[in-house]
Amino acid sequence: MSVGRVIVATWHPQETIVLETIRQMGLELQVILNKGAVMVLPSGINKATGLAAALDEMQLSPENVVGIGDAENDHDFLNICGYSVAVANALPTLKERVDFVTNGSRGDGVMELIEKLITSDLAEFGH
C-alpha cells in the first residue's frame, strides 16, 4: 500500500477489503481502478477534475488538450480532452471511446503520438 496527500493505493484483489473498510468507517471516498491498481480518492476527484483545475488556472480550453491513456481511470479525463488517444495496450473499452489508438504500447505509444504531433500537428489524425 502507498499513501499520498490525496490518494491511497493498493492492488487487486484488495478492493473488497478497501470497500468494506470505507463502508465500515462511513467515509465519503471513491475507489477508482487502474488496471491492477486500486486507488482511493476523495469523492469527485479524478484526472478530469485535476485537468480542469489546471486548465482554469492557465486559462486554457480543454479543446486544446491532447490526452493519452490506457486504463479505467482515464475515461473521464479523455472525455474532456479536445483529442483523445489510447496506447495500443489500453483496455478495449478505452480504445473504443477515443479519437485515435497508437500502434505502440506504453511509452512507445506516447513517443509515437509526440512524434506525430511534432511533425503534423494532428493533420495526420484528420483533426
Side-chain angles (χ1 to χ4, degrees):
M1 178 169 74
S2 56
V3 179
R5 288 180 50 192
V6 188
I7 186 171
V8 174
T10 188
W11 296 95
H12 173 77
Q14 305 304 323
E15 65 268 22
T16 53
I17 295 168
V18 169
L19 288 168
E20 183 59 31
T21 302
I22 291 170
R23 194 174 304 112
Q24 285 176 355
M25 296 181 75
L27 302 173
E28 189 177 336
L29 298 170
Q30 64 181 337
V31 174
I32 296 179
L33 303 175
N34 182 16
K35 293 192 173 178
V38 178
M39 299 178 294
V40 181
L41 292 157
S43 292
I45 301 296
N46 59 36
K47 287 183 178 183
T49 60
L51 175 61
L55 291 174
D56 185 54
E57 181 74 24
M58 295 184 290
Q59 298 181 342
L60 296 173
S61 166
E63 283 300 312
N64 297 320
V65 174
V66 175
I68 189 165
D70 70 344
E72 301 94 333
N73 66 330
D74 295 318
H75 283 284
D76 290 337
F77 155 70
L78 291 173
N79 281 340
I80 68 169
C81 292
Y83 196 78
S84 58
V85 179
V87 290
N89 63 296
L91 297 176
T93 56
L94 190 71
K95 292 192 314 191
E96 293 169 1
R97 296 175 54 189
V98 296
D99 297 311
F100 180 74
V101 178
T102 66
N103 292 316
S105 295
R106 299 173 183 78
D108 290 339
V110 174
M111 289 189 315
E112 176 185 336
L113 173 63
I114 291 168
E115 287 171 8
K116 288 186 184 226
L117 285 169
I118 290 170
T119 60
S120 70
D121 196 28
L122 290 181
E124 284 183 44
F125 298 110
H127 199 53

